[in-house]
Amino acid sequence: MSQHETRPSHPFTPRASSWLTRASTLLPLRAKDAFIHSKLARNINAARLYFKALVGSRANAASLLCSAYGYSSSTFVDRRIISKLRGGGFPLEEEFWRPLVANFPRYRSLLKEQSVLTRSIILKEPGAHGEKGVLLMCFEYNWARLAMATHGQDFQWIDDNFDLILSTSWSPTDYLTLSLLLSKTKGPLFVQPCNRWETEKLARFHERIIPVNSLPCDWINPSFYASVPLAGRDIDILMVANWGEFKRHWDFFNVLRQLPANWRIVLVGQKEGGRDAGFIAKLANKIGVPQSLEIHQSIPIAEVSALQQKARVSLIFTRREGCCVAAVESIFAGCAVGMRADAHIGSLDYLNPSTGGSLRPGHLAEDILSLHAAASPETSSEWGRSHISCHHSLARLAEVLKAHAASRNLPWTRELRPVHWRPHPCHINEQDQSELSELHQECHRRYPDLFPVDLMDVSKQ
């Protein structure tokens, strides 16, 4: 099989679906979806958690307030929550916040199953006279691993030698673990948000949180994507999205009923939330998709890139997630990218006449047809190279770090080592990885339960 060929790992043949089957499938999903993504419902939940915190125990109240802060989209409510957190007897001390993170449902089992860092990489080694190294940690669960694997003075060496770059995976991010890390550190915490909407919210949460002017999805390296002309693209629509419920395949399948039956539709995903490719195929049949779908599960990143370079249109139907790496990959691959206009996804900001467009609720099929007709691989990939890439991300991050080093009277004599995401953080140059190996070994010797000796290998997980 060549680099640009791949076979569907789960073939799908459409079957007729009755209106009753379709309605009984779609109506509950639509109702649940409308509630989950209601801005009013989220703000009501923020208020509910806030008032619940007023009558609960002190420790439970702190956790509730951090959750309320994530749900809130009101500056007024944000300020009330922060005022309560800062003046309500919640000390910014490790001993207070540590048990809250340890008992947080999201991490309780994860930290027991695997305590070592993954998806983390050193961008710069420490230097003389207090020059800080730089450690990039992707996904909030790795922040929790760092915070929980070190205690008291054990953390001192990391705090003295590294600036921490906390790259988020969702929006809103995890304000509870941020609170624990603030209690363990003396200097700034640099946070890469998944959505620019959250930039001010992060800065408002604490004066030592410094948002970075790039998104986690910006670490993509354009060198992996060739410019394939429109004539060489035989996939009409590609969707790269795990099989999780939040990816909303049901909405996409319903729209497919209004699109040409002879279009080539390709889905790429992986197991999520107990759902697999078989579940997705059954869902497509219940809704009555007229096209013969190609469904690929857990294929290598090189095969995903090859499919992206053969697609005219790449679609994301999520209403809320992080920044969506697949969207940026698709821009570099030359696809016309489409997302719902009401989506809370960081890379929605990157859609424009050069790269694709937002899809209007109520006019989804119409807008997809327009994207398909206007697809221009050259303009899409060129816009991506000019505005977003691992090279732009590195330069923006270096600018922020240099400015803050100067403000703290710390030297900056070494540059950041270039990295990219594929599909985990990697050094672009093998020499950089080799030159940092001794520092990796030192981290492992000091923290064997946190820094695995084969960090670059486990970072793939």
Side-chain angles (χ1 to χ4, degrees):
M1 190 182 300
S2 73
Q3 181 181 1
H4 295 285
E5 293 177 350
T6 185
R7 300 189 186 96
S9 54
H10 203 96
F12 168 91
T13 303
R15 295 196 299 267
S17 172
S18 70
W19 71 267
L20 183 59
T21 300
R22 187 161 54 250
S24 62
T25 301
L26 290 174
L27 287 177
L29 290 169
R30 282 175 174 158
K32 181 179 179 181
D33 189 70
F35 175 77
I36 289 174
H37 298 291
S38 164
K39 184 177 179 180
L40 176 61
R42 292 183 68 84
N43 279 322
I44 289 174
N45 198 32
R48 180 186 68 84
L49 292 168
Y50 174 79
F51 287 113
K52 188 176 179 181
L54 299 182
V55 298
S57 67
R58 189 177 64 150
N60 191 46
S63 184
L64 290 170
L65 289 169
C66 287
S67 295
Y69 192 78
Y71 276 105
S72 168
S73 59
S74 163
T75 301
F76 172 77
V77 174
D78 281 358
R79 295 192 187 282
R80 295 279 302 196
I81 294 170
I82 293 169
S83 176
K84 186 66 177 174
L85 277 170
R86 302 293 171 254
F90 307 111
L92 202 57
E93 298 173 0
E94 180 177 2
E95 297 305 323
F96 177 79
W97 293 96
R98 185 179 179 85
L100 301 186
V101 173
N103 292 314
F104 194 43
R106 188 189 306 176
Y107 303 135
R108 192 180 299 142
S109 60
L110 179 68
L111 293 174
K112 291 179 181 178
E113 293 168 2
Q114 186 172 4
S115 62
V116 299
L117 290 176
T118 62
R119 294 175 170 175
S120 303
I121 192 167
I122 295 174
L123 302 186
K124 178 188 170 185
E125 59 271 54
H129 309 295
E131 181 171 4
K132 291 288 192 84
V134 177
L135 174 63
L136 170 67
M137 293 186 298
C138 305
F139 288 58
E140 289 84 345
Y141 55 72
N142 278 312
W143 315 353
R145 284 168 172 161
L146 174 73
M148 297 303 296
T150 57
H151 189 261
Q153 291 300 314
D154 292 343
F155 185 75
Q156 191 67 47
W157 185 81
I158 294 176
D159 195 30
D160 288 343
N161 287 277
F162 289 96
D163 279 327
L164 302 179
I165 313 301
L166 308 176
S167 186
T168 64
S169 65
W170 195 264
S171 179
T173 189
D174 174 10
Y175 289 94
L176 181 62
T177 302
L178 274 177
S179 296
L180 174 57
L181 285 171
L182 285 166
S183 75
K184 295 168 69 75
T185 54
K186 299 186 295 289
L189 290 176
F190 300 92
V191 181
Q192 189 175 42
C194 270
N195 196 302
R196 286 189 168 85
W197 163 85
E198 205 166 356
T199 299
E200 290 185 10
K201 194 176 182 72
L202 282 162
R204 192 182 302 132
F205 190 69
H206 198 278
E207 61 185 8
R208 285 198 284 116
I209 292 180
I210 311 298
V212 177
N213 185 27
S214 63
L215 304 181
C217 57
D218 297 358
W219 290 109
I220 304 302
N221 192 338
S223 67
F224 289 105
Y225 301 90
S227 180
V228 178
L230 203 58
R233 296 173 179 262
D234 60 357
I235 297 174
D236 294 284
I237 296 178
L238 173 69
M239 177 180 280
V240 179
N242 68 50
W243 309 136
E245 185 177 1
F246 72 97
K247 290 292 188 177
R248 305 179 71 258
H249 287 84
W250 62 268
D251 193 19
F252 174 53
F253 291 159
N254 193 41
V255 173
L256 285 180
R257 296 176 57 249
Q258 305 171 56
L259 296 175
N262 63 347
W263 274 14
R264 183 184 175 193
I265 313 295
V266 178
L267 306 179
V268 177
Q270 60 187 15
K271 293 181 181 179
E272 177 67 28
R275 296 153 59 114
D276 60 11
F279 177 94
I280 294 299
K282 290 177 182 177
L283 180 63
N285 267 322
K286 285 181 180 179
I287 295 173
V289 170
Q291 297 86 2
S292 295
L293 308 183
E294 297 177 28
I295 304 177
H296 302 266
Q297 181 166 291
S298 301
I299 60 176
I301 184 65
E303 292 185 21
V304 178
S305 300
L307 290 170
Q308 287 168 326
Q309 291 171 97
K310 296 177 71 176
R312 292 176 67 106
V313 173
S314 176
L315 296 180
I316 304 296
F317 263 63
T318 323
R319 293 276 303 272
R320 177 178 288 269
E321 61 174 278
C323 52
C324 192
V325 169
V328 174
E329 291 174 339
S330 295
I331 288 174
F332 284 125
C335 304
V337 178
M339 298 183 195
R340 288 182 60 111
D342 56 359
H344 183 89
I345 303 176
S347 53
L348 181 64
D349 291 348
Y350 299 157
L351 302 192
N352 55 59
S354 295
T355 60
S358 56
L359 311 176
R360 299 167 296 165
H363 302 272
L364 299 175
E366 176 187 342
D367 290 346
I368 291 170
L369 287 167
S370 296
L371 278 182
H372 189 274
S376 176
E378 294 78 13
T379 57
S380 180
S381 58
E382 178 54 37
W383 186 93
R385 285 173 164 79
S386 300
H387 295 84
I388 48 171
S389 71
C390 57
H391 310 300
H392 290 88
S393 290
L394 197 75
R396 289 166 183 158
L397 178 58
E399 183 180 358
V400 172
L401 291 174
K402 285 179 183 180
H404 281 274
S407 70
R408 291 177 282 169
N409 296 315
L410 295 176
W412 183 280
T413 64
R414 303 176 179 183
E415 295 302 320
L416 301 180
R417 310 282 183 143
V419 299
H420 59 210
W421 180 272
R422 185 132 179 112
H424 56 95
C426 316
H427 289 289
I428 293 177
N429 305 315
E430 290 186 7
Q431 182 178 348
D432 288 336
Q433 184 172 337
S434 176
E435 290 177 355
L436 289 170
S437 62
E438 186 175 337
L439 179 56
H440 274 285
Q441 292 302 315
E442 181 177 5
C443 291
H444 173 67
R445 285 194 299 271
R446 289 178 177 272
Y447 308 95
D449 296 329
L450 178 64
F451 286 88
V453 67
D454 55 348
L455 177 59
M456 289 312 300
D457 292 327
V458 299
S459 284
K460 299 175 185 178
Q461 300 177 10

